[in-house]
């Protein structure tokens, strides 16, 4: 039951996030900002998230996953209220900073799933987490565009704040703690967030470091650059703030279909290592196609390959990471993964906004696609990571496969 409750929390939280996300570029332009300003506002969210993620992760390792998740939801609700009433670029900037601080708990959510899943089913459980958040991304953008027409500019922010408070209450009532505070793996010394970050940089050849770097570049390319997609759609396809939500809804819908119908069987057939490589190729090709698209056929190819790539890549990389770090450090390293992802999501939108102003709206997408493809050498010997799980990395509370299956909608669900 714990995973089901967490998935409900993640779904509703994503609905709130994606209700306002596609509207940000339009609001920024209305307040006098340039495309570069859009990139800045996208980047500060990631900057705040990258600072907060290791703190939340360490907090959850010490105090518990549940308190961290609840606190993050309440911080996010405040951010949505600021967004609803932002009448200046500075207030819009503040709302993005607060939202990023609250969103730093994403690593905690993933650590919760790892805690509550048997090792053999961890990637699939993480895939289901991705699936329910993608489902939220289907409903959110369209709902936000609909609310604009009904209640005006402040309606999406107010609705998102209400959802965040509602789901926090739901989690407080029904979400139990996943972390048992036992001492395991004495060979793994206590690390601070800063020490873990330095470890990834200085020991980049190690399995955990490679996985973090692959994740960081890929997520920056997709989410960092992808959030400027409304500017490309507006210029080349005449999209407005009333219609942009439906394009983003398609991306989310593809993610849901792949994660719920294809991912599990393909993981069983190919394994996490090969599927990660396939995800890299598909994501890189999808980004490039989107950047080159001047008509709907090529845009459709790009918008189809991108969610395919992310659905294959991110759950596999995160699942592998949860297996190659010790259990007492799982929350910390999940947070560090998102710290590096946050750095790339600062760099990519800043570069994308500036490149759009100077070179054109398509350039950031095909450049980002090339950078994703350049991570393929980091996947060398990735299959050996499956045997690299350290002593002490076993979940504190190993759940029998039958228990996990009972929490899922279908048998052998995709991950």
């Amino acid at each position: 039951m714990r995973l089901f409750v967490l998935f409900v929390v993640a779904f509703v939280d994503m609905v709130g996030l994606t209700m306002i996300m596609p509207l940000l570029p339009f609001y920024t332009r209305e307040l006098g900002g340039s495309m570069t300003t859009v990139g800045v506002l996208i980047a500060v969210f990631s900057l705040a998230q990258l600072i907060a993620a290791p703190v939340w992760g360490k907090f959850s390792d010490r105090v518990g996953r549940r308190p961290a998740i609840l606190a993050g939801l309440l911080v996010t609700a405040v951010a949505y209220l600021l967004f609803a009433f932002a009448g200046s670029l500075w207030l819009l900037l503040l709302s993005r900073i607060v939202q990023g601080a609250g969103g730093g708990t994403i690593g905690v959510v993933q650590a919760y799933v790892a805690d509550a899943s048997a090792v053999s089913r961890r990637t699939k459980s993480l895939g289901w987490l991705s699936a329910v958040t993608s489902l939220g991304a289907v409903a959110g953008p369209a709902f936000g565009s609909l609310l604009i027409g009904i209640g005006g500019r402040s309606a999406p922010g107010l609705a998102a704040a209400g959802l965040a408070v509602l789901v926090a209450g739901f989690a407080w009532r029904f979400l139990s703690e996943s972390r048992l505070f036992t001492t395991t793996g004495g060979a793994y010394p206590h690390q601070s967030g800063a020490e873990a970050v330095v470890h990834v940089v200085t020991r980049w050849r190690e399995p955990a470091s490679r996985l973090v770097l692959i994740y960081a570049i890929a997520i920056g390319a997709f989410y960092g650059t992808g959030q400027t997609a409304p500017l490309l759609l507006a210029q080349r396809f005449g999209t407005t703030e009333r219609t942009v939500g439906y394009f983003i809804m398609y991306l989310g819908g593809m993610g849901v279909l792949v994660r719920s119908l294809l991912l599990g069987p393909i993981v069983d057939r190919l394994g996490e290592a090969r599927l990660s490589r396939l995800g890299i190729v598909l994501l890189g090709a999808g980004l490039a196609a989107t950047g080159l698209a001047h008509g709907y056929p090529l845009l459709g190819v790009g918008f189809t390959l991108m969610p395919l790539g992310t659905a294959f890549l991110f759950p596999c990389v995160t699942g592998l990471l949860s297996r190659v770090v010790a259990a007492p450090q799982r929350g910390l390293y999940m947070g560090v993964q998102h710290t590096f992802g946050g750095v790339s999501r600062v760099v990519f939108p800043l570069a994308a906004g500036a490149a759009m102003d100077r070179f054109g709206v398509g350039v950031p997408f095909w450049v980002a696609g090339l950078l994703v493809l350049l991570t393929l050498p980091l996947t060398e010997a990735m299959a050996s990571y499956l045997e690299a799980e350290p002593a002490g990395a076993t979940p504190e509370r190993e759940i029998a496969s039958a228990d996990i299956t009972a929490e899922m909608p279908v048998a052998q669900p995709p991950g």
Side-chain angles (χ1 to χ4, degrees), residues 109-155:
V109 173
Q110 291 177 333
Y112 186 110
V113 173
D115 291 343
S117 301
V119 171
S120 61
R121 299 186 59 85
R122 194 172 291 162
T123 296
K124 294 181 181 182
S125 296
L126 287 165
W128 272 103
L129 175 64
S130 297
V132 297
T133 54
S134 293
L135 185 60
V138 172
F143 194 28
S145 293
L146 178 64
L147 285 173
I148 282 281
I150 295 174
R153 185 181 180 280
S154 63

Side-chain angles (χ1 to χ4, degrees), residues 339-357:
T339 291
F340 278 86
V343 171
S344 69
R345 283 185 289 166
V346 170
V347 173
F348 273 90
L350 286 174
M356 283 182 168
D357 279 331

Side-chain angles (χ1 to χ4, degrees), residues 313-329:
L313 178 60
F314 295 141
C316 290
V317 167
T318 303
L320 287 168
L321 180 62
S322 75
R323 297 178 65 169
V324 299
V325 297
Q329 296 177 316

Side-chain angles (χ1 to χ4, degrees), residues 49-140:
Q49 189 178 54
L50 74 88
I51 294 172
V55 178
W56 284 119
K58 195 66 178 177
F59 176 84
S60 76
D61 283 338
R62 289 184 174 181
V63 179
R65 314 294 189 212
R66 180 176 178 270
I69 292 170
L70 291 174
L73 288 168
L74 294 177
V75 171
T76 300
V78 173
Y80 292 150
L81 287 175
L82 290 171
F83 181 87
F85 297 108
S88 68
L89 289 174
W90 289 109
L91 197 55
L92 200 58
L93 176 69
L94 178 61
S95 75
R96 295 293 290 168
I97 293 172
V98 176
Q99 187 182 350
T105 57
I106 180 62
V108 178
V109 173
Q110 291 177 333
Y112 186 110
V113 173
D115 291 343
S117 301
V119 171
S120 61
R121 299 186 59 85
R122 194 172 291 162
T123 296
K124 294 181 181 182
S125 296
L126 287 165
W128 272 103
L129 175 64
S130 297
V132 297
T133 54
S134 293
L135 185 60
V138 172

Side-chain angles (χ1 to χ4, degrees), residues 126-217:
L126 287 165
W128 272 103
L129 175 64
S130 297
V132 297
T133 54
S134 293
L135 185 60
V138 172
F143 194 28
S145 293
L146 178 64
L147 285 173
I148 282 281
I150 295 174
R153 185 181 180 280
S154 63
L158 291 173
L163 284 175
V165 173
L166 180 66
V167 77
F170 176 81
W172 178 80
R173 174 65 179 84
F174 295 106
L175 188 66
S176 61
E177 179 57 52
S178 70
R179 178 87 165 87
L180 285 183
F181 300 95
T182 58
T183 302
T184 60
Y188 300 92
H190 171 79
Q191 280 185 306
S192 67
E195 288 170 339
V197 168
V198 171
H199 182 96
V200 171
V201 174
T202 58
R203 301 186 181 184
W204 63 270
R205 295 180 186 274
E206 294 183 0
S209 300
R210 288 191 181 200
L211 292 166
V212 168
L213 293 174
I214 291 169
Y215 176 90
I217 294 171

